[in-house]
Amino acid sequence: MDFHYYYIIQDIIGILMAFIGIRMFALSIRMILSKKNAKNIIVLSVSYVLIAASGINLLLYNFEIKTWIISIAFVILSLLITKIVNIREK
């Protein structure tokens, strides 16, 4: 097996994204449990799950363009959801 740096880069980015997504999802669950009005928080938790799924996708699959496109699509969808929630709050 050949050693390539892009495998390490993909794994590091995947670990960071999965960790951030899971951590933020846990925080959003705490916020849901503490507040009564939780519509926006539930939508944000879905956004954080998408970030975690993007990181897990990078961790589990080999280095391919398809893997990166799916992960980037998850992140873009997550950003769009976050923007929609921010617009609704204002």
Side-chain angles (χ1 to χ4, degrees):
M1 182 173 171
D2 294 329
F3 176 76
H4 299 285
Y5 286 108
Y6 49 83
Y7 289 127
I8 293 175
I9 292 169
Q10 180 174 337
D11 287 341
I12 290 171
I13 291 172
I15 288 170
L16 290 174
M17 289 178 69
F19 178 74
I20 289 169
I22 291 169
R23 180 68 180 151
M24 293 304 290
F25 178 72
L27 289 174
S28 67
I29 294 296
R30 277 184 156 177
M31 289 172 59
I32 289 171
L33 294 175
S34 68
K35 291 186 178 182
K36 293 181 182 177
N37 187 5
K39 286 183 182 178
N40 289 340
I41 298 171
I42 291 172
V43 175
L44 284 176
S45 67
V46 170
S47 173
Y48 298 140
V49 167
L50 286 172
I51 292 175
S54 175
I56 291 169
N57 183 36
L58 288 174
L59 282 172
L60 294 181
Y61 294 104
N62 291 335
F63 185 82
E64 296 176 351
I65 297 296
K66 181 181 172 183
T67 305
W68 279 92
I69 290 172
I70 292 171
S71 292
I72 291 170
F74 281 161
V75 170
I76 291 172
L77 186 61
S78 172
L79 291 173
L80 288 174
I81 290 171
T82 307
K83 291 283 185 184
I84 291 170
V85 169
N86 285 339
I87 290 172
R88 282 187 186 173
E89 288 179 354
K90 291 181 181 179

